[in-house]
């Protein structure tokens, strides 16, 4: 490590014994070495450390660098926390295999619906990406309906479709309403067509843990000679933002015969 610091000019010895190669440093250089180690522990690169020490940055410049590093670390922690939650959800899905039976799946027709909705875009169909994209839409949807003196006629629902780039997902946060689409709205009023056949099943608990229920639904569809047609709808029979574990959601997967 000390040889590398010497080679890049970060910490040069005051002398090197020609015969033994022993490197000599002054006591005052320990102060610089301690700062190098401390800044490295904060995640700064050696080039950044050298800039801090050699350019004698003033307090405000150093504070700015530390704030930037703090923001980077906070973002990394948040990403790692979300990744850990996703892994734990998948583990729970694996552990729950066999606890639900495919006879819990019901094949039925979905009637046409008129909904008021707001849309957003998620990076993928993974729960970790869907949740942050769609959850903020519902409070705003209710606010706009209230401002329009309109009440929903059914529970909240969500449906999805691929974005134009083929990778991202367009999320639709919707509420069934009985209104005229010709009225001026600050939201979209959409008529969802009837679905002749949908494989449906009840998912209990937070949507972060929906993977196991989706696997059950997929198995039933395959075993019964159907093919999934697009993404499943989510009808939130019971929804509680403060207690996601108490949620009851009907997954509605449109299907066609293979």
């Amino acid at each position: 490590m000390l040889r590398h610091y010497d080679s890049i000019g970060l910490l040069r010895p005051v002398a090197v014994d020609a015969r033994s190669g022993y490197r000599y440093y002054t006591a005052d250089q320990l102060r610089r070495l301690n700062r190098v180690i401390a800044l490295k522990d904060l995640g700064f690169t050696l080039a950044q450390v050298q800039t801090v020490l050699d350019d004698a940055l003033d307090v405000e410049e150093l504070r700015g660098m530390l704030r930037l590093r703090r923001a980077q670390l906070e973002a990394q922690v948040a990403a790692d926390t979300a990744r850990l939650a996703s892994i734990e959800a998948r583990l729970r899905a694996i552990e729950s295999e066999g606890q639900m039976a495919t006879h819990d799946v019901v094949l039925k027709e979905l009637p046409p619906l008129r909904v008021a909705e707001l849309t957003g875009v998620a990076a993928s169909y993974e729960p970790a990406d869907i949740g942050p994209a769609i959850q903020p839409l519902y409070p705003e949807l209710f606010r706009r309906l209230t401002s329009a003196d309109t009440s929903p006629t059914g529970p909240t629902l969500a449906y999805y479709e691929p974005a134009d780039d083929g990778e991202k997902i367009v999320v639709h946060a919707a509420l069934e309403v009985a209104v005229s689409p010709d009225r001026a709205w600050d939201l979209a009023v959409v008529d969802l067509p009837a679905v002749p056949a949908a494989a449906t099943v009840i998912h209990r608990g937070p949507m972060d843990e929906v993977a196991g229920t989706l696997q059950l639904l997929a198995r039933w569809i395959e075993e019964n000679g159907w093919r999934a047609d697009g993404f499943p709808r989510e009808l939130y029979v019971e929804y509680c933002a403060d207690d996601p574990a108490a949620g009851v959601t009907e997954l509605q997967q449109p299907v066609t015969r293979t």
Side-chain angles (χ1 to χ4, degrees):
M1 181 182 68
L2 290 175
R3 288 190 180 91
H4 180 58
Y5 290 173
D6 182 11
S7 67
I8 64 175
L10 183 59
L11 184 66
R12 299 189 185 281
V14 294
V16 178
D17 188 281
R19 295 180 58 190
S20 66
Y22 192 88
R23 313 168 75 79
Y24 290 89
Y25 295 87
T26 64
D28 187 58
Q29 286 180 295
L30 287 177
R31 180 169 174 267
R32 182 178 176 91
L33 178 60
N34 287 335
R35 290 189 175 188
V36 169
I37 295 172
L39 289 170
K40 276 186 59 184
D41 287 344
L42 287 174
F44 288 101
T45 67
L46 289 179
Q48 291 172 325
V49 170
Q50 191 159 12
T51 298
V52 171
L53 298 180
D54 291 349
D55 293 355
L57 298 183
D58 60 33
V59 173
E60 283 304 316
E61 290 173 317
L62 183 57
R63 183 179 289 118
M65 291 184 67
L66 292 174
R67 283 174 175 168
L68 175 61
R69 184 56 186 160
R70 180 179 64 186
Q72 292 171 336
L73 290 174
E74 288 174 346
Q76 180 179 332
V77 169
D80 289 343
T81 300
R83 190 175 297 111
L84 180 60
S86 177
I87 292 172
E88 291 175 345
R90 291 196 176 277
L91 284 173
R92 286 191 290 270
I94 293 171
E95 292 165 356
S96 67
E97 288 180 358
Q99 295 181 11
M100 294 180 65
T102 54
H103 61 66
D104 294 324
V105 177
V106 176
L107 184 69
K108 63 184 180 182
E109 180 181 354
L110 304 181
L113 293 176
R114 175 165 291 176
V115 299
E117 67 174 37
L118 295 174
T119 60
V121 177
S124 75
Y125 190 58
E126 290 293 320
D129 292 324
I130 293 291
I134 198 168
Q135 288 169 2
L137 299 179
Y138 288 106
E140 179 63 16
L141 180 60
F142 276 105
R143 187 192 69 78
R144 295 190 189 188
L145 285 175
T146 301
S147 297
D149 197 24
T150 299
S151 298
T153 57
T156 55
L157 64 118
Y159 67 99
Y160 309 94
E161 59 185 347
D164 291 338
D165 64 1
E167 296 182 2
K168 295 184 175 66
I169 300 296
V170 178
V171 301
H172 298 257
L175 277 165
E176 186 178 357
V177 291
V179 297
S180 170
D182 298 329
R183 175 179 168 182
W185 295 92
D186 60 349
L187 42 73
V189 176
V190 178
D191 287 320
L192 299 181
V195 176
T200 66
V201 68
I202 295 297
H203 169 73
R204 301 181 185 277
M207 293 305 292
D208 288 347
E209 300 179 6
V210 75
T213 311
L214 286 173
Q215 290 170 10
L216 168 76
L217 197 58
R219 188 166 72 249
W220 182 94
I221 291 170
E222 181 178 353
E223 290 174 353
N224 288 273
W226 295 90
R227 182 178 67 250
D229 184 12
F231 295 100
R233 291 184 190 176
E234 298 164 4
L235 184 70
Y236 303 117
V237 181
E238 294 182 16
Y239 175 76
C240 180
D242 296 330
D243 185 14
V248 178
T249 308
E250 183 180 64
L251 302 177
Q252 304 173 336
Q253 176 62 68
V255 292
T256 57
R257 276 294 183 188
T258 55

